[in-house]
Amino acid sequence: MTSQQYIQDIRAFCLANASKANAEKYSRYFKEGLYNGYGLSAPMMYEKAKEILAKEGLTLQVVMEASPELIKTGKSEEISIMMMTLRGLRKHFKKDTFSLIEKWFSIGIDNWAHADTLGGMLIPEFISKGIIDHEDLRTWLTATNKYQRRCVPVTLIKTLKTTHSYKELFRFIECLMTDPEREVHQGTGWFLREAWKKNPEDTETFLMKWKDTAPRLIFQYATEKMTAAGKAAFRRKRK
């Protein structure tokens, strides 16, 4: 299988199963109007990725060669299916695979859905295999692309099960507590909410440090599972 055959396989499937009604429905989840897709459901995409992975000749090289063209085109489901098939090839991941993925943000990762697929499905695989650690994401924290910045805390959610130091992770993401973008606030708050579930003491100490200065959306997400009394402790002081 060549990279062009792989692209055409994905594209033909998407065209054959396009749904205008679903596309209109899904577009509501993208406040900036960044949904550019066919209206395929997640189960449909997973099944297509599974089918492609079973085909003879599919390699990591094929997918990585195809990825820039699919990302540049900007069709949501084409990119998602590519990411799903890539995860199926995770046993072949190397450091240069990560380096190529890192370039995707400058090519065209421009919405929360693809950033969260990267952070939830792909980048954690590199960390769990010891190919990279969170320090390899340090430059992402100050990247121009806000979705690249968002991807950092989303990725770190998966490391909460194995980390020996929540405080270290909090120090690492601290600069995001003053990030100007809503999408980054959501990702950071999500990470802190999951951290609180596992280590409330350290998480609350960190949140208390920022309760009067960080964006409230971070706290809306971070305190979502707390009791009413718990949430009240993190209300901003009135001036």
Side-chain angles (χ1 to χ4, degrees), residues 188-190 192-194 196 203 207 217-226:
T188 303
W190 179 13
L192 290 167
R193 181 183 69 204
E194 298 307 308
W196 178 82
T203 307
L207 288 171
L217 187 58
I218 292 178
F219 282 83
Q220 180 181 324
Y221 277 76
T223 64
E224 184 180 7
K225 300 299 181 181
M226 294 183 185

Side-chain angles (χ1 to χ4, degrees), residues 47-234:
E47 283 302 311
K48 182 57 181 176
K50 185 177 178 181
E51 175 197 314
I52 293 173
L53 284 164
K55 291 186 176 181
E56 186 176 350
L58 182 73
T59 65
L60 180 64
Q61 182 178 350
V62 166
V63 179
M64 295 310 295
E65 286 180 354
S67 62
E69 181 175 336
L70 291 169
I71 293 170
K72 286 176 184 176
T73 302
K75 288 293 188 179
S76 182
E77 290 88 348
E78 293 180 9
I79 299 170
S80 294
I81 293 171
M82 179 272 290
M83 290 183 179
M84 292 171 186
T85 54
L86 183 59
R87 187 174 186 273
L89 299 167
R90 59 192 177 276
K91 67 180 180 180
H92 303 294
F93 284 0
K94 296 179 181 178
K95 186 64 177 285
D96 61 352
T97 314
F98 170 77
S99 298
L100 290 171
I101 290 174
E102 195 170 22
K103 296 176 181 178
W104 288 357
F105 289 96
S106 62
I107 296 172
I109 299 297
D110 60 4
N111 63 72
W112 62 265
H114 291 142
D116 290 358
T117 300
L118 282 167
M121 288 177 48
L122 288 177
I123 307 304
E125 293 291 342
F126 290 91
I127 295 176
S128 67
K129 295 177 184 301
I131 297 170
I132 65 168
D133 61 26
H134 67 269
E135 283 294 334
D136 289 281
L137 303 177
R138 184 169 291 280
T139 58
W140 293 31
L141 293 167
T142 54
T144 302
N145 187 323
K146 62 185 175 182
Y147 297 105
Q148 188 168 6
R149 303 197 301 274
R150 175 190 172 108
C151 193
V152 177
V154 175
T155 295
L156 294 181
I157 291 171
K158 289 289 183 73
T159 71
L160 292 170
K161 296 179 181 178
T162 57
T163 186
H164 299 295
S165 175
Y166 279 58
K167 292 179 181 178
E168 180 183 350
L169 292 182
F170 295 154
R171 285 193 296 270
F172 184 71
I173 60 97
E174 196 157 22
C175 66
L176 299 181
M177 299 299 285
T178 55
D179 195 280
E181 299 291 349
R182 175 184 177 85
E183 292 83 0
V184 180
H185 303 166
Q186 292 169 321
T188 303
W190 179 13
F191 164 74
L192 290 167
R193 181 183 69 204
E194 298 307 308
W196 178 82
K197 291 178 185 178
K198 296 176 172 59
N199 186 337
E201 182 177 352
D202 285 346
T203 307
E204 289 179 15
T205 298
F206 178 74
L207 288 171
M208 191 60 67
K209 175 181 177 181
W210 286 98
K211 77 179 184 72
D212 294 322
T213 52
R216 297 317 300 168
L217 187 58
I218 292 178
F219 282 83
Q220 180 181 324
Y221 277 76
T223 64
E224 184 180 7
K225 300 299 181 181
M226 294 183 185
T227 63
K231 292 177 182 179
F234 296 100

Side-chain angles (χ1 to χ4, degrees), residues 10-61:
I10 292 175
R11 193 158 288 158
F13 172 80
C14 290
L15 287 167
N17 292 279
S19 167
K20 184 178 180 180
N22 280 346
E24 291 177 355
K25 180 174 68 174
Y26 297 157
S27 67
R28 299 170 193 162
Y29 299 104
F30 296 83
K31 290 182 176 295
E32 297 176 328
L34 293 173
Y35 176 75
N36 174 17
Y38 299 93
L40 274 60
S41 68
M44 289 175 68
M45 291 188 286
Y46 278 112
E47 283 302 311
K48 182 57 181 176
K50 185 177 178 181
E51 175 197 314
I52 293 173
L53 284 164
K55 291 186 176 181
E56 186 176 350
L58 182 73
T59 65
L60 180 64
Q61 182 178 350

